[in-house]
């Protein structure tokens, strides 16, 4: 019956949620375009039903009790579908927000396209949303709080200097504090604040 | 229990047995045969999101106020039958809650709110406390360094979604605490 389709969508969302929790990283599965579209079609049909019922009710006002029940059930089904769709979308946008905070905003905000691994699995609107949200974060960081790196690491700093090992060859990298020559498997003793970004990006590994 | 809560939405889709108090044409699809009217006194399994509202709003309202019947009458589902409640009372920890329903607690809360069922709430309170102790025991036992599999036995398979979340949270906090104590 109505509402079964959207249930599938919610189950999908649940699975994605569990996946994120277990792997502790943001990962978005494919956008369920078909399911969403079918649910929308179902809502469309329910809407047509509701309108039909309404016009019938106006024609003969005798069966008000019965019509009310039918009308109500139709509305409830729509409500249910809406809730499922919204919850699915909310979960995805939460993941996108987390992505925007963790991955982008690194260094001088690198071009969006480069950092995006999951681009193909986003719907068009979500891409748009991600872009805008990143922009909002960037705006906020360049506004009042320029001297705090809001998207920086949330683990409290405990050491001033740390040992890091280079995981990927990247050649010479210019950071705000100086130049590092990143050769694979070489090791540095560097200020934590300098290399934090590079660790987040996965070039360095903390020892 | 927010609007966007995935678990809440899934719990809402559980079917509960209902009896219709009036016949309604055009709602046959609820019973599985579309196109036919649904008869008075016929029984159908409705998802909770539908049944909950239909059990509250009435068919007759203003004209004869003395018998304000709701559209459907909810019947006690197997989940909260006295058989299950007795099993809970006898030994909460050995009960397989997951096989009853994956969202047992959430459903129970909804049910108890709907009927102001004091007895059910009492039973659930003791059940929850007893099981929470067991959950805590299992969450506390951290396998020796970085063993991924949780070999806490069969008890963890009997947790429902809500308890699983509690278990996961407390387990990670114990684990983080331990790793912080050891490494730093």
């Amino acid at each position: 019956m109505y509402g079964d389709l959207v249930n599938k969508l919610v189950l999908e969302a649940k699975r994605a949620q569990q996946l994120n929790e277990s792997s502790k990283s943001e990962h978005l599965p494919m956008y369920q375009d078909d399911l969403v579209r079918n649910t929308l079609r179902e809502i469309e049909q329910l809407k047509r039903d509701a309108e039909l019922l309404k016009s019938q009710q106006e024609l003969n006002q005798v069966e008000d009790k019965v019509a009310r029940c039918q009308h109500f059930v139709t509305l409830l089904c729509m409500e249910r579908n809406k809730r499922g769709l919204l919850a699915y979308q909310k979960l995805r946008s939460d993941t996108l927000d987390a992505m925007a905070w963790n991955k982008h905003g690194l260094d001088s905000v690198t071009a969006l396209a480069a950092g995006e691994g999951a681009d193909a699995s986003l719907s068009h609107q979500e891409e748009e949303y991600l872009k805008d949200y990143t922009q909002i974060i960037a705006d906020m960081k360049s506004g009042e709080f320029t001297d705090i790196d809001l998207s920086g690491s949330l683990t409290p700093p405990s050491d001033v200097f740390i040992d890091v090992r280079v995981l990927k060859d990247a050649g010479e990298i210019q950071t705000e504090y100086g130049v590092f020559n990143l050769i694979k498997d070489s090791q540095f003793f560097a200020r934590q604040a300098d290399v934090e970004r590079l660790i987040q990006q996965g070039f360095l590994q903390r020892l | 229990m927010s609007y966007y809560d995935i678990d809440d939405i899934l719990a809402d889709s559980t079917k509960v047995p209902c009896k219709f108090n009036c016949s309604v044409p055009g709602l046959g699809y609820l019973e599985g045969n579309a196109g036919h009217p649904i008869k008075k006194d016929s029984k159908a399994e409705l998802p909770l999101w539908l049944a909950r509202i239909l059990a509250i709003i009435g068919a007759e309202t203003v004209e004869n106020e003395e018998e304000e019947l709701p559209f459907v009458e909810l019947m006690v589902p197997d989940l909260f039958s006295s058989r299950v409640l007795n099993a809970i009372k006898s030994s909460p920890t050995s009960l397989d809650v997951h096989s009853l329903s994956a969202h047992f607690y959430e459903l129970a809360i909804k049910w108890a709110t709907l009927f102001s069922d004091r007895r059910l709430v009492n039973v659930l309170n003791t059940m929850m406390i007893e099981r929470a102790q067991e959950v805590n025991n299992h969450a506390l036992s951290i396998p020796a360094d970085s063993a991924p599999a949780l070999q806490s036995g069969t008890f963890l398979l009997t947790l429902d979604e809500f308890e699983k979340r509690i278990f996961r949270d407390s387990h990670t906090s114990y684990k983080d605490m331990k790793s912080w104590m050891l490494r730093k």
Side-chain angles (χ1 to χ4, degrees), chain A residues 56-65:
Chain A
Q56 260 180 3
Q57 210 173 350
E58 273 161 15
L59 273 178
N60 40 351
Q61 284 140 347
V62 210
E63 39 150 19
D64 62 331
K65 162 191 114 186

Side-chain angles (χ1 to χ4, degrees), chain A residues 1-2 7 10-11 13-14 18 21 65-66 68-70 72-73 76-77 80 82-83 86-87 90 158, chain B residues 2-4 6-10 12-13 24-26 29-30 49-50 53 57-59 71 161 168 184:
Chain A
M1 60 174 279
Y2 300 122
N7 227 27
V10 176
L11 279 175
K14 169 95 183 160
Q18 279 171 340
E21 266 167 24
K65 162 191 114 186
V66 163
R68 206 167 53 219
C69 186
Q70 282 177 315
F72 223 84
V73 171
L76 282 172
C77 289
R80 171 74 182 174
K82 174 179 148 197
R83 189 178 177 198
L86 283 179
K90 172 88 162 50
S158 48
Chain B
S2 80
Y3 185 76
Y4 299 108
I6 300 275
D7 281 316
D8 191 44
I9 298 177
L10 286 176
D12 256 352
S13 70
V24 187
Y29 60 85
L30 294 178
W49 53 266
L50 186 59
I53 312 268
I57 56 165
F71 287 123
E161 289 296 324
R168 208 186 305 118
K184 278 277 175 175

Side-chain angles (χ1 to χ4, degrees), chain B residues 54-117:
Chain B
L54 289 186
I56 293 174
I57 56 165
E60 280 109 294
T61 40
V62 195
E63 303 97 57
N64 41 353
E65 204 139 355
E66 64 272 14
E67 48 158 350
E68 194 182 309
L69 271 176
F71 287 123
V72 302
E73 191 175 305
L74 283 179
M75 294 188 292
V76 180
D78 288 343
L79 208 55
F80 305 117
S81 61
S82 53
R83 201 168 49 85
V84 173
L85 291 191
N86 284 334
I88 293 175
K89 273 186 230 160
S90 65
S91 160
T93 46
S94 62
L95 186 76
D96 188 354
V97 183
H98 193 87
S99 73
L100 283 176
S101 161
H103 301 276
F104 184 79
Y105 284 104
E106 268 168 270
L107 284 174
I109 291 171
K110 284 175 203 296
W111 194 261
T113 335
L114 211 52
F115 290 97
S116 314
D117 193 339

Side-chain angles (χ1 to χ4, degrees), chain B residues 142-151 171 175 178-179 182-183:
Chain B
I142 298 156
D145 219 25
S146 71
L150 304 160
Q151 65 281 79
H171 184 70
K175 212 170 60 185
K178 195 178 176 191
S179 70
L182 289 181
R183 303 250 169 77

Side-chain angles (χ1 to χ4, degrees), chain B residues 114-131:
Chain B
L114 211 52
F115 290 97
S116 314
D117 193 339
R118 200 171 281 276
R119 207 170 51 96
L120 179 65
V121 171
N122 283 335
V123 172
L124 283 169
N125 266 340
T126 41
M127 171 189 179
M128 177 112 168
I129 291 169
E130 295 256 332
R131 285 179 73 85

Side-chain angles (χ1 to χ4, degrees), chain A residues 67-139:
Chain A
R68 206 167 53 219
C69 186
Q70 282 177 315
H71 201 206
F72 223 84
V73 171
T74 332
L75 289 183
L76 282 172
C77 289
M78 285 206 264
E79 192 69 31
R80 171 74 182 174
N81 280 332
K82 174 179 148 197
R83 189 178 177 198
L85 284 176
L86 283 179
Y88 177 71
Q89 203 58 62
K90 172 88 162 50
L91 193 81
R92 285 181 73 90
S93 65
D94 281 350
T95 322
L96 287 178
D97 293 355
M99 271 179 176
W101 277 103
N102 294 345
K103 300 234 183 70
H104 305 306
L106 298 174
D107 255 33
S108 39
V109 180
T110 36
L112 245 175
E116 206 43 59
D119 240 359
S121 62
L122 299 188
S123 75
H124 176 64
Q125 287 90 340
E126 283 171 332
E127 271 173 49
E128 205 81 336
Y129 168 82
L130 183 59
K131 225 172 278 174
D132 288 352
Y133 191 79
T134 327
Q135 189 55 46
I136 290 176
I137 294 179
D139 283 353

